Amino acid sequence: MSKTLALTQELIALPSVTPDDAGCQQRLADLLGPHGFSCERIPSGEVTNLWARRGTTRPLVVFAGHTDVVPTGPLEQWTSPPFAPTIRDGKLYGRGAADMKTSIAAMVVAVEEFVTAHPDHQGSIGFLLTSDEEGPATDGTVVVCEQLVARGEQLDYCIVGEPTSSEKLGDTVKNGRRGSLSGKLTIKGIQGHIAYPQLAKNPIHLAAPALAELAAEKWDDGNEYYLPTSWQMSNIHAGTGASNVIPGEVVVDFNFRFSTASTVEGLQQRVHAILDRYKFEYVLKWTVSGHPFLTPRGTLCDAISAAIEAETGIATELSTTGGTSDGRFIARICPQVIEFGPPNATIHKIDEHIAVADIEPLKNIYRRLLENLLL
């Protein structure tokens, strides 16, 4: 059994359902410490965070990830217990196998191999780990980033170990993510008997043309790395439950997944301009859960692409699709951020697993990345 596989199994066996770290980060600190890493625990609320650094010079290359996992779901539906790592038919099963304990184990072993072979390498290496990625993400990576900024630590490159591969290990690297902007729109009417519409004001009727215009609006054209910004309604609620009552209001939940071609402020202004043209009374509450970030082709993208091709022979694809990740927080303080990890087909599912044959190549890609950046 390889060291990477053994460490992955050890981490899976720790039931770190968010926000519980269950001792994962302490185990990793115990491994990193003998290799010259200064390990700092940064708790916040119920969340455990770890910042570890080896070296004091630049460039600083940081591996980032999360030790927490999502809940298991019905235990009886798992073929083997989710926190009892099990190998069947060449696959390693367990909660967190793909998202993302294999990546964390591979990063740690890759660093161990790299610093053993190159103890006098250029620059510095860091680890930023949290147990709050699968939760609200308010006490995790964002807190550590704030502390790093406060004390003047400058990150140059960051690799987040999210499971990004689609069909084969190495086929996809995320070099950015779209932003997420949500709105809760309440359009006011006047409740009344449905047989006397002249004595009421139906907010559903008021909302319909405005919502149609919002749905048809072209918000931007995207760019080389991003599809055009998308506006989608996720929920509409109105009515009292009775079929003979005109409701007093209608509530619409919607979300923008937006590219770097648009801004939060610009999208908000355009939505308000459309709504204001319809002259109805409304209240709109906004929530920004993430800004878009982008790392164009350059030093870090080239380094990971070369590492993947050298290890697997695959010419990787850069992509910005998918949901949000903690990369959105790190990108505020680090000019080049990418995400790369194993195939993501089983993440958050019953019987989550990863191919055992992918584990050593994943570790080797991370090690080759360090060689490309720090030698």
PDB file of all heavy atoms in Angstrom, residues 56-77:
ATOM      1  N   THR A  56      10.341  31.299   4.414  1.00  0.00           N
ATOM      2  CA  THR A  56       9.969  32.700   4.642  1.00  0.00           C
ATOM      3  C   THR A  56      10.082  33.545   3.386  1.00  0.00           C
ATOM      4  O   THR A  56       9.696  34.719   3.392  1.00  0.00           O
ATOM      5  CB  THR A  56      10.861  33.317   5.731  1.00  0.00           C
ATOM      6  OG1 THR A  56      12.236  33.221   5.330  1.00  0.00           O
ATOM      7  CG2 THR A  56      10.687  32.602   7.066  1.00  0.00           C
ATOM      8  N   THR A  57      10.614  32.980   2.301  1.00  0.00           N
ATOM      9  CA  THR A  57      10.847  33.759   1.089  1.00  0.00           C
ATOM     10  C   THR A  57       9.751  33.509   0.063  1.00  0.00           C
ATOM     11  O   THR A  57       8.908  32.622   0.215  1.00  0.00           O
ATOM     12  CB  THR A  57      12.213  33.410   0.489  1.00  0.00           C
ATOM     13  OG1 THR A  57      12.242  32.007   0.171  1.00  0.00           O
ATOM     14  CG2 THR A  57      13.329  33.718   1.478  1.00  0.00           C
ATOM     15  N   ARG A  58       9.739  34.304  -0.961  1.00  0.00           N
ATOM     16  CA  ARG A  58       8.784  34.172  -2.037  1.00  0.00           C
ATOM     17  C   ARG A  58       9.473  33.538  -3.246  1.00  0.00           C
ATOM     18  O   ARG A  58      10.682  33.611  -3.363  1.00  0.00           O
ATOM     19  CB  ARG A  58       8.194  35.542  -2.389  1.00  0.00           C
ATOM     20  CG  ARG A  58       7.363  36.131  -1.255  1.00  0.00           C
ATOM     21  CD  ARG A  58       6.836  37.511  -1.577  1.00  0.00           C
ATOM     22  NE  ARG A  58       5.878  37.472  -2.686  1.00  0.00           N
ATOM     23  CZ  ARG A  58       5.313  38.554  -3.207  1.00  0.00           C
ATOM     24  NH1 ARG A  58       5.596  39.761  -2.703  1.00  0.00           N
ATOM     25  NH2 ARG A  58       4.474  38.459  -4.201  1.00  0.00           N
ATOM     26  N   PRO A  59       8.673  32.879  -4.113  1.00  0.00           N
ATOM     27  CA  PRO A  59       7.206  32.812  -4.105  1.00  0.00           C
ATOM     28  C   PRO A  59       6.673  31.824  -3.068  1.00  0.00           C
ATOM     29  O   PRO A  59       7.334  30.852  -2.724  1.00  0.00           O
ATOM     30  CB  PRO A  59       6.879  32.337  -5.515  1.00  0.00           C
ATOM     31  CG  PRO A  59       8.060  31.501  -5.907  1.00  0.00           C
ATOM     32  CD  PRO A  59       9.243  32.201  -5.306  1.00  0.00           C
ATOM     33  N   LEU A  60       5.477  32.104  -2.581  1.00  0.00           N
ATOM     34  CA  LEU A  60       4.787  31.227  -1.645  1.00  0.00           C
ATOM     35  C   LEU A  60       3.726  30.436  -2.407  1.00  0.00           C
ATOM     36  O   LEU A  60       2.790  31.005  -2.954  1.00  0.00           O
ATOM     37  CB  LEU A  60       4.148  32.044  -0.525  1.00  0.00           C
ATOM     38  CG  LEU A  60       3.204  31.296   0.421  1.00  0.00           C
ATOM     39  CD1 LEU A  60       3.884  30.105   1.076  1.00  0.00           C
ATOM     40  CD2 LEU A  60       2.650  32.253   1.484  1.00  0.00           C
ATOM     41  N   VAL A  61       3.903  29.133  -2.451  1.00  0.00           N
ATOM     42  CA  VAL A  61       2.961  28.232  -3.110  1.00  0.00           C
ATOM     43  C   VAL A  61       2.104  27.580  -2.024  1.00  0.00           C
ATOM     44  O   VAL A  61       2.636  26.939  -1.115  1.00  0.00           O
ATOM     45  CB  VAL A  61       3.689  27.143  -3.916  1.00  0.00           C
ATOM     46  CG1 VAL A  61       2.675  26.213  -4.594  1.00  0.00           C
ATOM     47  CG2 VAL A  61       4.622  27.762  -4.944  1.00  0.00           C
ATOM     48  N   VAL A  62       0.806  27.736  -2.110  1.00  0.00           N
ATOM     49  CA  VAL A  62      -0.103  27.249  -1.064  1.00  0.00           C
ATOM     50  C   VAL A  62      -1.016  26.158  -1.614  1.00  0.00           C
ATOM     51  O   VAL A  62      -1.605  26.305  -2.686  1.00  0.00           O
ATOM     52  CB  VAL A  62      -0.957  28.404  -0.504  1.00  0.00           C
ATOM     53  CG1 VAL A  62      -2.012  27.877   0.472  1.00  0.00           C
ATOM     54  CG2 VAL A  62      -0.064  29.427   0.185  1.00  0.00           C
ATOM     55  N   PHE A  63      -1.104  25.067  -0.873  1.00  0.00           N
ATOM     56  CA  PHE A  63      -2.105  24.037  -1.121  1.00  0.00           C
ATOM     57  C   PHE A  63      -3.279  24.299  -0.176  1.00  0.00           C
ATOM     58  O   PHE A  63      -3.083  24.449   1.027  1.00  0.00           O
ATOM     59  CB  PHE A  63      -1.540  22.645  -0.857  1.00  0.00           C
ATOM     60  CG  PHE A  63      -0.520  22.197  -1.872  1.00  0.00           C
ATOM     61  CD1 PHE A  63       0.839  22.274  -1.593  1.00  0.00           C
ATOM     62  CD2 PHE A  63      -0.917  21.705  -3.104  1.00  0.00           C
ATOM     63  CE1 PHE A  63       1.779  21.859  -2.526  1.00  0.00           C
ATOM     64  CE2 PHE A  63       0.015  21.297  -4.049  1.00  0.00           C
ATOM     65  CZ  PHE A  63       1.369  21.369  -3.762  1.00  0.00           C
ATOM     66  N   ALA A  64      -4.473  24.338  -0.730  1.00  0.00           N
ATOM     67  CA  ALA A  64      -5.655  24.657   0.074  1.00  0.00           C
ATOM     68  C   ALA A  64      -6.713  23.571  -0.094  1.00  0.00           C
ATOM     69  O   ALA A  64      -6.821  22.938  -1.150  1.00  0.00           O
ATOM     70  CB  ALA A  64      -6.240  26.011  -0.328  1.00  0.00           C
ATOM     71  N   GLY A  65      -7.490  23.386   0.967  1.00  0.00           N
ATOM     72  CA  GLY A  65      -8.560  22.397   0.884  1.00  0.00           C
ATOM     73  C   GLY A  65      -9.371  22.340   2.157  1.00  0.00           C
ATOM     74  O   GLY A  65      -9.176  23.133   3.076  1.00  0.00           O
ATOM     75  N   HIS A  66     -10.283  21.372   2.207  1.00  0.00           N
ATOM     76  CA  HIS A  66     -11.155  21.256   3.374  1.00  0.00           C
ATOM     77  C   HIS A  66     -11.158  19.823   3.879  1.00  0.00           C
ATOM     78  O   HIS A  66     -11.183  18.861   3.105  1.00  0.00           O
ATOM     79  CB  HIS A  66     -12.577  21.721   3.050  1.00  0.00           C
ATOM     80  CG  HIS A  66     -13.261  20.978   1.941  1.00  0.00           C
ATOM     81  ND1 HIS A  66     -14.033  19.853   2.161  1.00  0.00           N
ATOM     82  CD2 HIS A  66     -13.306  21.196   0.600  1.00  0.00           C
ATOM     83  CE1 HIS A  66     -14.529  19.426   1.007  1.00  0.00           C
ATOM     84  NE2 HIS A  66     -14.093  20.225   0.043  1.00  0.00           N
ATOM     85  N   THR A  67     -11.132  19.714   5.202  1.00  0.00           N
ATOM     86  CA  THR A  67     -11.175  18.404   5.844  1.00  0.00           C
ATOM     87  C   THR A  67     -12.594  17.982   6.190  1.00  0.00           C
ATOM     88  O   THR A  67     -12.818  16.826   6.562  1.00  0.00           O
ATOM     89  CB  THR A  67     -10.317  18.403   7.122  1.00  0.00           C
ATOM     90  OG1 THR A  67     -10.719  19.499   7.968  1.00  0.00           O
ATOM     91  CG2 THR A  67      -8.839  18.552   6.784  1.00  0.00           C
ATOM     92  N   ASP A  68     -13.559  18.879   6.098  1.00  0.00           N
ATOM     93  CA  ASP A  68     -14.935  18.504   6.399  1.00  0.00           C
ATOM     94  C   ASP A  68     -15.580  17.827   5.190  1.00  0.00           C
ATOM     95  O   ASP A  68     -15.171  18.031   4.040  1.00  0.00           O
ATOM     96  CB  ASP A  68     -15.758  19.716   6.844  1.00  0.00           C
ATOM     97  CG  ASP A  68     -15.827  20.825   5.801  1.00  0.00           C
ATOM     98  OD1 ASP A  68     -14.825  21.040   5.083  1.00  0.00           O
ATOM     99  OD2 ASP A  68     -16.870  21.491   5.696  1.00  0.00           O
ATOM    100  N   VAL A  69     -16.584  17.016   5.486  1.00  0.00           N
ATOM    101  CA  VAL A  69     -17.339  16.335   4.439  1.00  0.00           C
ATOM    102  C   VAL A  69     -18.824  16.569   4.673  1.00  0.00           C
ATOM    103  O   VAL A  69     -19.245  16.975   5.759  1.00  0.00           O
ATOM    104  CB  VAL A  69     -17.056  14.816   4.431  1.00  0.00           C
ATOM    105  CG1 VAL A  69     -15.600  14.546   4.120  1.00  0.00           C
ATOM    106  CG2 VAL A  69     -17.455  14.161   5.756  1.00  0.00           C
ATOM    107  N   VAL A  70     -19.616  16.308   3.645  1.00  0.00           N
ATOM    108  CA  VAL A  70     -21.072  16.444   3.785  1.00  0.00           C
ATOM    109  C   VAL A  70     -21.614  15.243   4.561  1.00  0.00           C
ATOM    110  O   VAL A  70     -20.963  14.202   4.664  1.00  0.00           O
ATOM    111  CB  VAL A  70     -21.754  16.532   2.403  1.00  0.00           C
ATOM    112  CG1 VAL A  70     -21.337  17.797   1.684  1.00  0.00           C
ATOM    113  CG2 VAL A  70     -21.470  15.297   1.566  1.00  0.00           C
ATOM    114  N   PRO A  71     -22.828  15.363   5.126  1.00  0.00           N
ATOM    115  CA  PRO A  71     -23.434  14.220   5.819  1.00  0.00           C
ATOM    116  C   PRO A  71     -23.544  12.996   4.900  1.00  0.00           C
ATOM    117  O   PRO A  71     -23.597  13.124   3.680  1.00  0.00           O
ATOM    118  CB  PRO A  71     -24.804  14.746   6.232  1.00  0.00           C
ATOM    119  CG  PRO A  71     -24.614  16.237   6.346  1.00  0.00           C
ATOM    120  CD  PRO A  71     -23.642  16.591   5.258  1.00  0.00           C
ATOM    121  N   THR A  72     -23.626  11.842   5.514  1.00  0.00           N
ATOM    122  CA  THR A  72     -23.579  10.594   4.754  1.00  0.00           C
ATOM    123  C   THR A  72     -24.862  10.275   4.003  1.00  0.00           C
ATOM    124  O   THR A  72     -24.841   9.566   3.000  1.00  0.00           O
ATOM    125  CB  THR A  72     -23.302   9.412   5.695  1.00  0.00           C
ATOM    126  OG1 THR A  72     -24.366   9.300   6.650  1.00  0.00           O
ATOM    127  CG2 THR A  72     -21.987   9.624   6.435  1.00  0.00           C
ATOM    128  N   GLY A  73     -25.996  10.799   4.484  1.00  0.00           N
ATOM    129  CA  GLY A  73     -27.257  10.316   3.976  1.00  0.00           C
ATOM    130  C   GLY A  73     -27.594   8.987   4.650  1.00  0.00           C
ATOM    131  O   GLY A  73     -26.926   8.572   5.596  1.00  0.00           O
ATOM    132  N   PRO A  74     -28.639   8.297   4.181  1.00  0.00           N
ATOM    133  CA  PRO A  74     -29.070   7.051   4.836  1.00  0.00           C
ATOM    134  C   PRO A  74     -27.955   6.002   4.865  1.00  0.00           C
ATOM    135  O   PRO A  74     -27.507   5.534   3.816  1.00  0.00           O
ATOM    136  CB  PRO A  74     -30.249   6.589   3.974  1.00  0.00           C
ATOM    137  CG  PRO A  74     -30.732   7.826   3.283  1.00  0.00           C
ATOM    138  CD  PRO A  74     -29.514   8.650   3.039  1.00  0.00           C
ATOM    139  N   LEU A  75     -27.536   5.624   6.050  1.00  0.00           N
ATOM    140  CA  LEU A  75     -26.440   4.661   6.184  1.00  0.00           C
ATOM    141  C   LEU A  75     -26.763   3.321   5.545  1.00  0.00           C
ATOM    142  O   LEU A  75     -25.880   2.652   4.991  1.00  0.00           O
ATOM    143  CB  LEU A  75     -26.109   4.461   7.667  1.00  0.00           C
ATOM    144  CG  LEU A  75     -25.504   5.665   8.398  1.00  0.00           C
ATOM    145  CD1 LEU A  75     -25.357   5.363   9.884  1.00  0.00           C
ATOM    146  CD2 LEU A  75     -24.158   6.032   7.788  1.00  0.00           C
ATOM    147  N   GLU A  76     -28.038   2.926   5.605  1.00  0.00           N
ATOM    148  CA  GLU A  76     -28.412   1.618   5.064  1.00  0.00           C
ATOM    149  C   GLU A  76     -28.276   1.544   3.555  1.00  0.00           C
ATOM    150  O   GLU A  76     -28.248   0.452   2.961  1.00  0.00           O
ATOM    151  CB  GLU A  76     -29.848   1.264   5.466  1.00  0.00           C
ATOM    152  CG  GLU A  76     -30.934   2.152   4.873  1.00  0.00           C
ATOM    153  CD  GLU A  76     -31.193   3.429   5.680  1.00  0.00           C
ATOM    154  OE1 GLU A  76     -30.392   3.724   6.593  1.00  0.00           O
ATOM    155  OE2 GLU A  76     -32.191   4.105   5.384  1.00  0.00           O
ATOM    156  N   GLN A  77     -28.134   2.709   2.893  1.00  0.00           N
ATOM    157  CA  GLN A  77     -27.979   2.705   1.441  1.00  0.00           C
ATOM    158  C   GLN A  77     -26.523   2.550   1.005  1.00  0.00           C
ATOM    159  O   GLN A  77     -26.245   2.321  -0.174  1.00  0.00           O
ATOM    160  CB  GLN A  77     -28.576   3.982   0.850  1.00  0.00           C
ATOM    161  CG  GLN A  77     -30.082   4.078   1.009  1.00  0.00           C
ATOM    162  CD  GLN A  77     -30.670   5.296   0.324  1.00  0.00           C
ATOM    163  OE1 GLN A  77     -30.042   5.900  -0.553  1.00  0.00           O
ATOM    164  NE2 GLN A  77     -31.888   5.667   0.708  1.00  0.00           N
TER     165      GLN A  77
END
